[in-house]
Amino acid sequence: MISEMERVTFIGNDIGFIFSSSNEAVKTTDGGNTWFESDLETGFIFKDEYFTNQNLGYVCGNRILKTTNGGLNWQMIYNAGSDNVSSIYFTDTQNGVCITNSGKILRSSNSGISSYVELYPLTEDFKFGHAISNDLIYAVSSPSNAFFRINDKGRDINFIRSISPYSVNPQVLGDSSLFAI
């Protein structure tokens, strides 16, 4: 089936995906009773995903891939090179924001079709981040394991606290509640 599960996500009650870090994805349309492969690009390294509806979705990592048919096919829309995109979020079908491991905030205003515009480079390198909206991102820096809240499209960066020596994977719920694993 799938090796090295990275993420499980559901879009409604029946449609769901499991992604691995090694370009594997499987999809269910019946609440997990049956699964079928959803091919990602060869060499794709998974970091995050976001679906705006049952058909339109994005996965990011060393590239940003987009599907317009519910994951049957994926098209590369951005090549991050050696700078992995660690988080992706779309507020609607047109407007999205991403954060890269090197601290760049990228924004798209046309469904990710053309190149992403770098908003504000940050001074920290980030292990991972999570965009709540176009204007609110939570991120953990590397190597200091410092936790940040980034507002106003990167113009307002607030140190929240150090999370060293813990190795955590912060997760943010849709209502902006934060918890760590």
Side-chain angles (χ1 to χ4, degrees):
M1 167 97 115
I2 195 166
S3 62
E4 301 177 33
M5 272 194 286
E6 190 74 25
R7 173 80 50 88
V8 176
T9 190
F10 271 79
I11 312 153
N13 293 331
D14 294 323
I15 298 174
F17 289 88
I18 299 174
F19 295 99
S20 82
S21 57
S22 57
N23 80 311
E24 297 173 295
V26 291
K27 178 182 179 180
T28 183
T29 56
D30 60 7
N33 291 314
T34 58
W35 295 86
F36 60 91
E37 288 186 24
S38 176
D39 292 326
L40 300 174
E41 281 192 356
T42 302
F44 177 74
I45 299 170
F46 176 84
K47 294 291 182 186
D48 195 17
E49 53 73 30
Y50 192 82
F51 282 83
T52 59
N53 57 46
Q54 292 181 357
N55 291 313
L56 182 60
Y58 303 85
V59 292
C60 66
N62 58 341
R63 302 176 200 131
I64 298 175
L65 307 180
K66 176 182 176 180
T67 183
T68 57
N69 59 10
L72 295 176
N73 304 100
W74 296 88
Q75 171 190 5
M76 183 179 73
I77 59 173
Y78 182 80
N79 188 341
S82 62
D83 187 18
N84 283 328
V85 178
S86 58
S87 180
I88 190 164
Y89 178 84
F90 273 74
T91 55
D92 55 40
T93 59
Q94 296 295 309
N95 297 292
V97 64
C98 305
I99 188 169
T100 70
N101 287 356
S102 68
K104 293 177 189 160
I105 298 174
L106 307 174
R107 184 174 190 167
S108 174
S109 59
N110 60 0
S111 192
I113 294 169
S114 67
S115 62
Y116 281 75
V117 176
E118 182 179 329
L119 294 178
Y120 293 93
L122 307 174
T123 57
E124 294 280 336
D125 286 343
F126 289 99
K127 288 185 191 177
F128 36 74
H130 187 86
I132 298 297
S133 69
N134 282 337
D135 297 322
L136 177 60
I137 300 169
Y138 291 100
V140 175
S141 68
S142 174
S144 63
N145 279 342
F147 187 64
F148 292 88
R149 181 183 306 114
I150 305 164
N151 297 300
D152 194 22
K153 301 174 185 158
R155 289 180 218 133
D156 181 27
I157 303 169
N158 297 295
F159 170 78
I160 296 176
R161 62 168 285 155
S162 173
I163 52 177
S164 291
Y166 306 105
S167 177
V168 298
N169 183 9
Q171 298 293 314
V172 183
L173 304 177
D175 64 357
S176 299
S177 300
L178 177 73
F179 66 96
I181 300 173

